[in-house]
Amino acid sequence: MKRCHIAYAASAVAALIGAGLGAAPAAAAHQTLVVRQGESIQQAVNRAQPGDTVLVLPGTYKESVTINTPQVTLRGLGGRTVIEPAVKTVAGKAPRTETKATKSCAEGGNGICVIGTKKKNVEGVTVADLTVTGFARAGVFGMATDGMTVRGVQAVKNAVWGIAQERSVRGHILGNYAQGNGDAGVFLANTITEEAGALDTRRTVVERNRLEDNRIGVTVRRLRNLAVAENHITGNCAGVFVVGDENRPKAGALEVAYNNVSRNNKYCPKTDRLPAIQGSGIVLTGTEKTVVDGNRVVGNTGTSPLSGGIVLFKSFVGVTNDDNRVSDNVLDGNGPADLVNTETKGKGNTFRHNACRASKPSGLC
């Protein structure tokens, strides 16, 4: 590992990546710690101070990385910077991936972990421009974060999530590629360890990502005040799930807008939480005041109870959808219908100005 005590404007490393690092006044004296193949990313992260950048050069790095220092940037030089699980060799046996679950985020099977505390969120961390693949849980995982940015990351073939955040606010998940992950390409939740009301994310944004061949493209679970916008979502079992339950405040007050949601027709068997899913474009279940606007939803077909273009479905714990607005979407070739509303007790849900051919019940187009 090489430690360069330099300002961004004069950095030879900055020249490698052009304007990507940006410029800062010399007085800022933020440092860039350069990691080469064979060196430890975690050691560099441990030495980083707020405002520093850990720059990981192209190569394959077999480790997990935990960041809990605010305002640190961890970045690679694109897809050739690859982070994979460490391999543990046992005498007399073939090497195996170490996936032991412990209290440590990294040891629990995650790739890159950004972790605050119960009392204080870690602020302003950025993870950018690298590939994270093959982990037993999530490729990139943030918990108790504020203003965490994940940008230009390829999260590929991780066993659960590509990119995930829990108990986090003001996140920015921008321009990533999540493919072949076992659950959601992007997963956002208040918490998965307890029942609790929806968290106000203070305007987290999931934008301009490409999400392919996952179980679900984007899952938003028990959250409020965020946007899922301008993503390309295709080849999953389901495109977008917005999920609530009986707790208060209720999930919703968010936007799903201007996404291209097409041909999410992969078949995924049932789980403890959901029936088998296939052919679901955008699904709202147990939410309120969610706006689904300006999306292109095409060719999502299946025979699951959740199949269809845009689907309102009463949650499996009996919570209704209320006061949601579905408007100005373009839908075609979805089955059993472009617009599906199986909600019989919800109130205030509206369908306006959608370009579609078939709805269930009829009259929604």
Side-chain angles (χ1 to χ4, degrees):
M1 179 185 69
K2 181 178 179 183
R3 187 179 183 93
C4 304
H5 295 265
I6 50 178
Y8 288 159
S11 173
V13 175
L16 286 172
I17 58 175
L21 284 176
H30 295 318
Q31 303 172 51
T32 297
L33 292 80
V34 181
V35 183
R36 293 175 171 81
Q37 187 166 0
E39 299 175 342
S40 169
I41 301 171
Q42 187 65 63
Q43 287 182 11
V45 167
N46 291 347
R47 296 179 63 186
Q49 299 297 311
D52 288 354
T53 293
V54 175
L55 178 65
V56 186
L57 299 185
T60 298
Y61 299 81
K62 294 184 178 295
E63 61 177 301
S64 293
V65 180
T66 298
I67 304 170
N68 48 36
T69 301
Q71 307 298 330
V72 166
T73 294
L74 172 65
R75 69 180 305 169
L77 290 181
R80 293 184 301 142
T81 300
V82 180
I83 300 177
E84 297 179 347
V87 175
K88 183 176 180 179
T89 301
V90 179
K93 296 183 180 181
R96 65 183 179 86
T97 301
E98 179 60 59
T99 59
K100 181 180 178 181
T102 72
K103 292 183 180 180
S104 163
C105 174
E107 290 177 344
N110 298 286
I112 299 170
C113 308
V114 182
I115 306 295
T117 68
K118 288 184 178 180
K119 294 184 178 180
K120 186 175 182 180
N121 292 342
V122 61
E123 298 182 354
V125 172
T126 295
V127 178
D129 303 329
L130 48 79
T131 296
V132 59
T133 184
F135 285 91
R137 194 164 180 254
V140 179
F141 179 76
M143 177 178 282
T145 69
D146 186 343
M148 176 181 170
T149 296
V150 184
R151 182 183 66 246
V153 167
Q154 297 183 37
V156 178
K157 295 183 179 178
N158 299 287
V160 185
W161 305 308
I163 300 165
Q165 287 187 341
E166 281 187 57
R167 198 159 51 83
S168 295
V169 297
R170 288 188 280 251
H172 298 87
I173 300 175
L174 309 172
N176 304 286
Y177 177 64
Q179 182 267 331
N181 298 286
D183 190 66
V186 174
F187 177 83
L188 306 175
N190 59 348
T191 174
I192 62 168
T193 59
E194 60 179 317
E195 299 293 328
L199 172 73
D200 184 341
T201 73
R202 304 183 202 174
R203 206 56 183 172
T204 286
V205 175
V206 179
E207 187 173 85
R208 300 192 306 277
N209 302 283
R210 190 175 185 93
L211 310 166
E212 298 179 344
D213 193 32
N214 308 283
R215 181 178 176 85
I216 301 171
V218 180
T219 296
V220 177
R221 180 175 164 190
R222 300 178 187 155
L223 293 176
R224 297 176 70 86
N225 191 14
L226 60 90
V228 177
E230 299 182 41
N231 301 284
H232 182 83
I233 306 171
T234 188
N236 309 281
C237 303
V240 180
F241 259 64
V242 182
V243 182
D245 59 21
E246 69 272 22
N247 294 290
R248 295 289 176 179
K250 195 172 182 177
L254 57 89
E255 299 171 20
V256 180
Y258 304 106
N259 301 283
N260 182 2
V261 184
S262 62
R263 297 180 299 281
N264 291 283
N265 298 328
K266 179 180 172 181
Y267 176 83
C268 290
K270 68 178 182 178
T271 66
D272 291 341
R273 299 186 63 89
L274 290 174
I277 53 175
Q278 181 185 39
S280 297
I282 299 170
V283 178
L284 307 184
T285 174
T287 72
E288 67 176 7
K289 299 179 181 177
T290 294
V291 175
V292 181
D293 181 76
N295 301 280
R296 179 179 180 269
V297 185
V298 176
N300 303 280
T301 63
T303 58
S304 164
L306 300 165
S307 297
I310 299 175
V311 181
L312 268 62
F313 191 90
K314 184 174 69 175
S315 79
F316 290 99
V317 293
V319 179
T320 59
N321 292 291
D322 298 306
D323 300 316
N324 300 291
R325 188 183 85 214
V326 179
S327 62
D328 298 297
N329 301 282
V330 176
L331 306 101
D332 186 52
N334 302 286
D338 294 322
L339 297 176
V340 178
N341 184 10
T342 65
E343 181 64 75
T344 58
K345 296 182 179 179
K347 60 183 180 180
N349 300 303
T350 58
F351 296 82
R352 296 176 181 171
H353 311 301
N354 298 289
C356 60
R357 296 190 179 189
S359 69
K360 184 180 179 180
S362 62
L364 300 179
C365 290

